[in-house]
Amino acid sequence: MHRFLLTPRWWGINVFVALSIPFCLFMGTWQLGRFEDRVGSHREATAERPADRAAEPLDSLLPVDTETSGRLASTAGEYGRQLLVPERTLDGAPGFYVLTLLRTDSGKTVPVVRGWLPGQADPAKAPAPPTGRVEVTGALQASENSGTKGVHAQGGLPEGQLGVIGAATLVNLVQDPLYDAWLTVQSPADGMTPVPAKAPNNTGLDLKAFQNLGYTGEWFVFVVFVLFMWFRLYRREVETLRDAEAGLLATTDAAGADAGTAGSDPDGAAPAPATAPPAR
């Protein structure tokens, strides 16, 4: 009865199932691994606070990666131009960052977020930076881009405001070379609120992480679907063969033939053809 499994049609079905199931399992496991990696990196990023480690020289922590992001970096120099970064929320409250460019002793400039203030961005609210040579310690952060969550990337900001904190947006405002990073002071003065360090890119439990988890479920559902369809086809094939062996299919065909001869003469003679009327 199961010889039909060796027919070319079923060879194709079986090969497709044999290849689809391992592929779906592999892709589901890979997506699950991506989700677990994001969860692990998120735990590491949130568990390790900037104060847990001593500050290190800024240059020794560059370039910014998942290990150095959020670490305390120290540098020294003189503050220069001050900018405001509008539309930045903190604990659900609207406000703005006070960003001051620090020209370090090395000659390169690094943006320093000295703190956060509530309300609309107003230069009169922002305290002036210290004068003279200063030593600055802050949490190291990677440069933002237009896709970074919370940035104002639409443009059209007033003079003295900055939407995206990064070297690409500051290159036209600063003559000195720029660090591809920025610092956020964790102990600001003048009544400002410290801006907490953000988790490194692609390490948080964001939409991408839960997309990985959703894709995991989809691949495993595909495995169940493939098995279900194979079993359905197999059962239908077996039932068809059993009906044929029991003569049910022949009976059905005979019944159909009898229905087709309905309307013929009871004695078995075919009905006489209609004759044309006599010509006149």
Side-chain angles (χ1 to χ4, degrees):
M1 177 180 294
H2 295 86
R3 291 181 179 177
F4 67 87
L5 294 174
L6 300 178
T7 61
R9 172 173 172 266
W10 273 93
W11 264 107
I13 294 175
N14 293 334
V15 169
F16 174 78
V17 172
L19 295 178
S20 297
I21 292 177
F23 176 76
C24 292
L25 291 175
F26 170 77
M27 292 301 297
T29 304
W30 179 72
Q31 291 287 353
L32 182 60
R34 291 291 302 273
F35 174 74
E36 291 176 345
D37 290 341
R38 290 179 181 274
V39 172
S41 58
H42 175 72
R43 288 176 178 173
E44 293 177 0
T46 54
E48 180 182 322
R49 302 298 180 183
D52 293 339
R53 295 189 179 185
E56 301 179 42
L58 173 61
D59 291 316
S60 67
L61 297 176
L62 298 176
V64 185
D65 54 23
T66 56
E67 294 184 0
T68 61
S69 180
R71 297 265 295 274
L72 285 180
S74 61
T75 186
E78 294 186 1
Y79 279 124
R81 184 177 181 182
Q82 184 159 284
L83 302 168
L84 305 182
V85 186
E87 301 182 12
R88 297 299 178 109
T89 59
L90 187 62
D91 296 331
F96 60 97
Y97 294 168
V98 178
L99 182 147
T100 311
L101 301 176
L102 178 71
R103 189 177 189 277
T104 64
D105 294 339
S106 65
K108 299 180 68 174
T109 296
V110 60
V112 177
V113 173
R114 297 172 45 235
W116 175 91
L117 291 173
Q120 297 293 327
D122 184 358
K125 297 180 181 179
T131 58
R133 188 176 182 276
V134 294
E135 294 184 359
V136 177
T137 299
L140 183 65
Q141 299 283 266
S143 291
E144 297 178 338
N145 54 59
S146 58
T148 303
K149 183 178 180 180
V151 303
H152 184 97
Q154 289 77 18
L157 291 174
E159 180 69 21
Q161 295 189 16
L162 184 71
V164 181
I165 307 174
T169 56
L170 289 168
V171 66
N172 295 326
L173 302 177
V174 181
Q175 300 296 328
D176 302 323
L178 284 163
Y179 282 104
D180 191 16
W182 56 284
L183 302 177
T184 170
V185 177
Q186 299 301 291
S187 300
D190 302 321
M192 292 186 291
T193 303
V195 176
K198 298 179 181 179
N201 294 332
N202 298 322
T203 60
L205 294 179
D206 52 7
L207 179 60
K208 291 183 179 180
F210 290 103
Q211 282 180 342
N212 293 135
L213 187 61
Y215 294 151
T216 300
E218 289 181 1
W219 285 113
F220 290 151
V221 168
F222 289 160
V223 173
V224 177
F225 177 76
V226 170
L227 291 174
F228 169 76
M229 293 302 299
W230 183 92
F231 177 75
R232 184 176 180 182
L233 292 174
Y234 167 81
R235 187 177 64 176
R236 187 172 64 180
E237 193 81 20
V238 171
E239 290 177 350
T240 301
L241 292 176
R242 286 177 178 173
D243 291 344
E245 291 178 356
L248 298 178
L249 295 180
T251 302
T252 303
D253 294 342
D258 292 341
T261 58
S264 61
D265 186 84
D267 296 334
T275 58
R280 294 185 179 180

